[in-house]
Amino acid sequence: SQQGEEDPQALSIQEGENATMNCSYKTSINNLQWYRQNSGRGLVHLILIRSNEREKHSGRLRVTLDTSKKSSSLLITASRAADTASYFCATDAAGGGADGLTFGKGTHLIIQP
Amino acid sequence: KAGVTQTPRYLIKTRGQQVTLSCSPISGHRSVSWYQQTPGQGLQFLFEYFSETQRNKGNFPGRFSGRQFSNSRSEMNVSTLELGDSALYLCASSLGGTSGYTFGSGTRLTVV
């Protein structure tokens, strides 16, 4: 079952602009992770934020987590054509369980040169 | 260091056949997970292995099975293939804890 839901489903911006993607989830989590996927290939791990963290940075990426609203956002600053990809949030549910990582359906990001 | 290696990259099978997919994790990673990705259902968790033991299993029928060997390499098997099993099958390895997962490039299975 899908726990994470990304918003928007698709986003097209000009190179150099910032891109913001949002993710909502339903249950308590240990951590939330963001992944990138290019053209149906494997997923690339971008960043992991623990449930007791509120914000995390990695290069041009900034992730926020609001556990009270069960939501997260991924900001990509100064976008580049190479950032064109699908972005997925994935939650690692608290308390273990049988679901592994639960992924949303993703945001397809297109960077126009 | 080498990444997660999945073989084969592409596979075409006929309904009713069975298939075995292979995954070699990053050296030192003892956790291996499998996911199915389809346009309709997205990414869905199949199962996770750690030290040769299945630790978690997703909501898939018993036709989907897997195993992990002592060198952490993993295989998944799908028996009595159905058209709906056509998908990208992704393997991921992890050190465990909160280190995130490293995914392979996947095996694209087409059932005809």
Side-chain angles (χ1 to χ4, degrees), chain A residues 30-43:
Chain A
N30 286 323
N31 62 69
L32 184 145
Q33 303 172 35
W34 285 90
Y35 289 85
R36 184 185 74 224
Q37 185 178 40
N38 292 85
S39 302
R41 295 180 63 86
L43 295 157

Side-chain angles (χ1 to χ4, degrees), chain A residues 2-105:
Chain A
Q2 299 289 333
Q3 167 162 235
E5 293 291 336
E6 286 92 341
D7 170 59
Q9 290 187 351
L11 179 62
S12 180
I13 60 174
Q14 295 294 123
E15 196 168 18
E17 294 180 337
N18 295 342
T20 299
M21 288 159 270
N22 302 297
C23 167
S24 60
Y25 58 92
K26 296 174 184 174
T27 63
S28 296
I29 60 172
N30 286 323
N31 62 69
L32 184 145
Q33 303 172 35
W34 285 90
Y35 289 85
R36 184 185 74 224
Q37 185 178 40
N38 292 85
S39 302
R41 295 180 63 86
L43 295 157
V44 175
H45 179 257
L46 296 176
I47 197 164
L48 180 153
I49 185 165
R50 295 181 177 83
S51 60
N52 61 353
E53 297 176 312
R54 292 295 165 260
E55 188 171 311
K56 204 162 183 180
H57 298 254
S58 177
R60 293 184 297 113
L61 305 180
R62 178 187 150 221
V63 168
T64 62
L65 178 65
D66 187 335
T67 53
S68 66
K69 295 181 180 177
K70 290 186 169 56
S71 67
S72 173
S73 68
L74 171 67
L75 168 68
I76 303 174
T77 60
S79 63
R80 306 166 181 169
D83 294 330
T84 294
S86 292
Y87 291 81
F88 296 89
C89 70
T91 53
D92 183 6
D99 288 342
L101 284 180
T102 304
F103 285 85
K105 287 196 178 285

